[in-house]
Amino acid sequence: PHLDPRLRGQTAHAALERIAQEGGAAVHIGLDVALAAGAVAVAWPDAARFAAIVHEEATRAAADAGIRNAGFVRVLARWTEAALSVARDTDWRAGTVAVVGAELPWHAEIEDARGHPRRIGFRVDRADFDGATLRLTDYKTGRIPSTAATGDKRAEHFVARRCRPVPQGLAR
């Protein structure tokens, strides 16, 4: 079997959802419902727990793809851990994140080129507060956005590329 980038994406999303859920954050409910429930301080797991979560999710993703090779799962888990270091280094630098929830369905109302209203549905991989600002995160596990040596510099590069304004009505 080969290391399909989609398997890393599935593993990473599932692991990050587990981190949020184990920290007490809502999962798989509407963003509006999660916002009403409030954010919880979610810490990054210690190294042993993190490795266990990633390994369990790599095992599940591989099995779903019909792969039950322990060596493949170990490589997939290590590959995924490397991708998740970006989330750890950027979002969890302060120790905890005020997570509203993970894998939250939501929608946006936009106008198309003709001025007609359109409703676009999507799933928020993680919603959290950075101070008073609601941050909606869409995880990507492709090319790492920075090869800087330190976590602080990688975070600076990453944030510079990912910050977008939040739609009206979703801020606190």
Side-chain angles (χ1 to χ4, degrees):
H2 90 291
L3 285 170
D4 185 332
R6 291 173 296 187
L7 284 177
R8 179 169 71 167
Q10 291 168 354
T11 303
H13 277 79
L16 288 163
E17 177 185 339
R18 289 259 312 268
I19 290 168
Q21 186 174 32
E22 289 183 9
V27 296
H28 299 282
I29 63 173
L31 176 59
D32 54 340
V33 177
L35 283 166
V40 295
V42 174
W44 190 260
D46 65 41
R49 183 67 194 134
F50 174 65
I53 289 170
V54 175
H55 188 269
E56 289 163 15
E57 296 305 334
T59 301
R60 185 173 291 117
D64 288 349
I67 302 167
R68 289 176 172 48
N69 179 295
F72 180 89
V73 169
R74 279 192 304 275
V75 171
L76 176 58
R78 294 290 300 261
W79 191 33
T80 303
E81 287 175 10
L84 294 180
S85 69
V86 175
R88 181 196 63 227
D89 292 347
T90 56
D91 295 343
W92 271 273
R93 286 179 298 168
T96 62
V97 175
V99 177
V100 172
E103 299 298 325
L104 308 173
W106 192 241
H107 62 273
E109 302 288 336
I110 62 169
E111 285 186 7
D112 66 16
R114 295 186 179 146
H116 299 121
R118 300 286 182 217
R119 183 178 189 156
I120 306 295
F122 56 93
R123 183 172 303 276
V124 177
D125 291 338
R126 193 185 79 233
D128 57 67
F129 281 102
D130 183 4
T133 302
L134 177 63
R135 178 173 50 191
L136 305 179
T137 301
D138 180 23
Y139 296 120
K140 299 297 177 201
T141 57
R143 187 177 61 84
I144 294 175
S146 174
T147 57
T150 67
D152 285 344
K153 188 50 87 171
R154 286 191 304 271
E156 180 184 317
H157 292 170
F158 185 66
V159 168
R161 289 186 176 146
R162 74 176 180 150
C163 292
R164 305 282 190 282
V166 175
Q168 291 287 338
L170 290 181
R172 269 193 203 179

